[in-house]
Amino acid sequence: MPQLVAGRLVVVGLGLIGGSLALALKAKGGCGEVIGVEPCQQTCEQAVERGVVDSAMTELEMVLPLLEPGDIVFVAVPTLAIASVFASLKKSLPAGVTVTDGASVKGSVVTAAQKIWGGVVPDFLVPGHPIAGSEQSGITAAREDLYTAHSIILTPLETTAAAHRLRVEKMWRAVGAEVLIMPVTEHDEVLAATSHLPHVIAFGLVDTLAHDAENENIFRYAAGGFRDFTRIASSDPLMWRDIMLANRDAILKSIDLYTTNLSQLRTAIAAADSQHLMGVFTRAKAARDHFAKMLTKRAYTELMNTKEITFIARPGGSVKGNLRLPGDKSISHRAIMLGALAEGTTEVQGLLEGEDVLATLQAFRDMGVVIEGPLAGRIVIHGVGMQGLQAPPGPIYMGNSGTAMRLLAGLLAGQSFNATLIGDASLSQRPMDRVAEPLRQMGAKIQTDTQGRPPLIIEGGQQLQAIDYRLPMASAQVKSCVLLAGLYAQGITSITEPAATRDHTERLLQGFGYPLMRNGARVSITGGGSLRACSIEVPVDISSAAFFIVAATIAPGADVWLEHVGINPTREGAINILQAMGADIVLSNRRQVGGEPVVDIRVRHARLKGIQIPEDQVPLAIDEFPALFIAAACATGTTVLTGAQELRVKECDRIQVMADGLQELGIKTEVRTDGIVIQGKGEGKVFTGGQVESCGDHRISMSFAVAALRAEDEIRILGCANVATSFPNFVELAGRAGMYLSSLS
Ligand code: S3P
């Protein structure tokens, strides 16, 4: 449906910007008539011939008497020519006509308007800037789709009338653009940095090379890099001269900043300072990969998972062969954190390259730490020492990762700068008062929302004091958070846990040479020490292995070897539980790797029986319950889980969401506040087919994929994008093992 936004559109200046708006608005039926104004008679004729405008005149004064309320004048002339257009408008613009412009600098447009209209910018003027130019110019370059999906920045003033602003917004939306509103000075500073400075550099570089005696050779051999980098040096010189003069102060500020950076790079190259070079290049690469986010001045990366992914798990299949699964998520997070704070260079192998861990990696890059990689699971962290982190450029986005947010909260509580931690929709619902509470007792200033959830706003510059803390729940994340804050506290921080939870933080701290006292359920640390860089080999994540252990256990004829799996005693609950149910799991080749026990695991199909799961195993299998529930459905008899209320505050309410999915697949369950009762079906195809919802929880998605091994029909699993947080190649490895799994996006 054409949407009429103006009776007439008058375009003053028939170049790329003006001509493209004329074409687009006509094509969308957004105005009754388009009139062009352009001093060059030949361009006027060309514009009419090409159908860019309905008519064109060489003088604005000839057009103005024709205009009526509801018409729009779009001024698209070079920045410094705007004042003379305004002078003509002042003489004979009829009331009710809206005026807007497309100049790259807004301060000078406002100054010109003030000068012409006696100090007050008229209410019909809506300064604007389409961010859609290119190095091409002139009426012949005009394109109907130039503005589609591009941003238009409007910088209305206090005097601008709402009706005129809305008309301009409507016009840009009608041609498919997105409208942003910004103050004039902010616009000019942002554009100086993101557009004007790059043009200065491109013009300057090409000019430098063109002057070089060898220039013919230089241009002959200059390939992709030169071409990409200097494309904008083909832009219209007059237009760019005007922009430089009009936005002088902001551009000078950007040039000075860049000059300092360039001379530091020069010094680094001269001194072969590889760390400085890697720092600049890795930060720049991350920033370039996500440059759209930088415009809004947020941290370099936002791993916002907006994709919709559905798993299609066809019934049957088997589980066979030797598999090397991804690295441990908990250890990967901690290796980055401690490596960043260590003195010296830490090398990590086997890092999990899942989105949760990448969020942690980016957080430290945002805080000035140079991290090379990841490349095939290897990163090199150039530690900055305990006091070396820098304030991040904006809120730190932790994606889906509770571990990253809670552990970082502890670290950040002891820094000299302020920081805000935010997360995705799931993380934003998760309890953070469990870390905010003890941190406040230590003297941290930390805010959550009114219900104790993210964002976490941490005020730096507090001297933390040690506490003796009894954990109200069995949580390794809370324990680790307090331990990390304890590094910055005065005195000895002690933590006592109600049940043993994963102890990777403690093991890694010791690996980094930080002394720690352990006494039964109590662990203590003295603040003020330092960490020594080391090498870390991350074992395979037993929580990821659990899906294949359950898969092989329930699939008739299955026989699989899982190599190099971490078997920390605080993580072996799932193996104990499955063995108690009758699973055939053999651990061999036990060894120590980087302070963690590692084994190879062989799993063969076995008949299972339901059990009452011992409560002391719950913290040791906390992440594996979704997979264990699938095993329980394939067992003979009833499986009862109690003491597991923590499952309700994971990436989703894992008790309820699993119960809903199991019911959909024909399994009877009884949900309890702190657990679940599952009626196992024993032999044969225990699951029907159907559609289940994993509520964006990676472990739920993977568990239902495993269930298909014993299903009658296809299982469609919705909300699987977050599998990438912990197990990015799950679909591929499941397929390699013999499962019939595919992913639809
Ligand atoms: C983790 C601890 C556990 C676990 C999570 C990772 C860790 O959470 O569920 O996936 O790395 O410390 P809680 O400590 O909250 O139980």
Side-chain angles (χ1 to χ4, degrees), residues 67-89:
L67 300 189
E68 292 170 359
D71 291 345
I72 298 179
V73 176
F74 178 50
V75 186
V77 299
T79 306
L80 295 184
I82 282 196
S84 72
V85 177
F86 283 173
S88 307
L89 290 175

Side-chain angles (χ1 to χ4, degrees), residues 230-290:
T230 59
R231 175 179 58 81
I232 51 179
S234 285
S235 304
D236 180 7
L238 175 84
M239 175 176 138
W240 282 98
R241 185 225 33 208
D242 277 14
I243 291 171
M244 297 304 146
L245 302 180
N247 201 20
R248 191 186 62 180
D249 293 348
I251 294 174
L252 289 180
K253 233 161 85 185
S254 287
I255 293 179
D256 291 346
L257 206 67
Y258 178 67
T259 311
T260 310
N261 200 304
L262 187 64
S263 76
Q264 281 167 358
L265 269 176
R266 190 192 186 286
T267 312
I269 293 168
D273 180 349
S274 135
Q275 189 177 339
H276 183 92
L277 296 176
M278 283 307 294
V280 174
F281 296 170
T282 49
R283 278 194 302 275
K285 175 171 163 42
R288 179 62 176 84
D289 291 346
H290 301 277

Side-chain angles (χ1 to χ4, degrees), residues 41-115:
Q41 179 64 35
Q42 201 192 343
T43 308
C44 287
E45 284 163 17
Q46 234 181 349
V48 176
E49 254 165 48
R50 289 174 165 258
V52 176
V53 293
D54 297 310
S55 58
M57 305 193 190
T58 50
E59 308 265 341
L60 183 56
E61 278 82 356
M62 293 154 72
V63 180
L64 293 178
L66 310 175
L67 300 189
E68 292 170 359
D71 291 345
I72 298 179
V73 176
F74 178 50
V75 186
V77 299
T79 306
L80 295 184
I82 282 196
S84 72
V85 177
F86 283 173
S88 307
L89 290 175
K90 190 188 173 204
K91 276 190 239 149
S92 47
L93 185 77
V97 175
T98 303
V99 177
T100 186
D101 75 307
S104 268
V105 185
K106 302 297 9 133
S108 64
V109 170
V110 171
T111 311
Q114 280 165 338
K115 227 194 234 149

Side-chain angles (χ1 to χ4, degrees), residues 329-330 334 403 406 434 474-477 502 622-623 650:
K329 182 151 73 78
S330 295
R334 288 158 170 87
T403 307
R406 295 194 178 117
R434 53 177 62 196
S475 167
Q477 294 182 358
R502 64 191 70 191
I622 193 69
D623 289 337
K650 293 295 176 187

Side-chain angles (χ1 to χ4, degrees), residues 145 268 329 389 430 543 578:
D145 65 348
K329 182 151 73 78
L389 295 180
R430 296 182 67 185
S543 300
L578 283 167

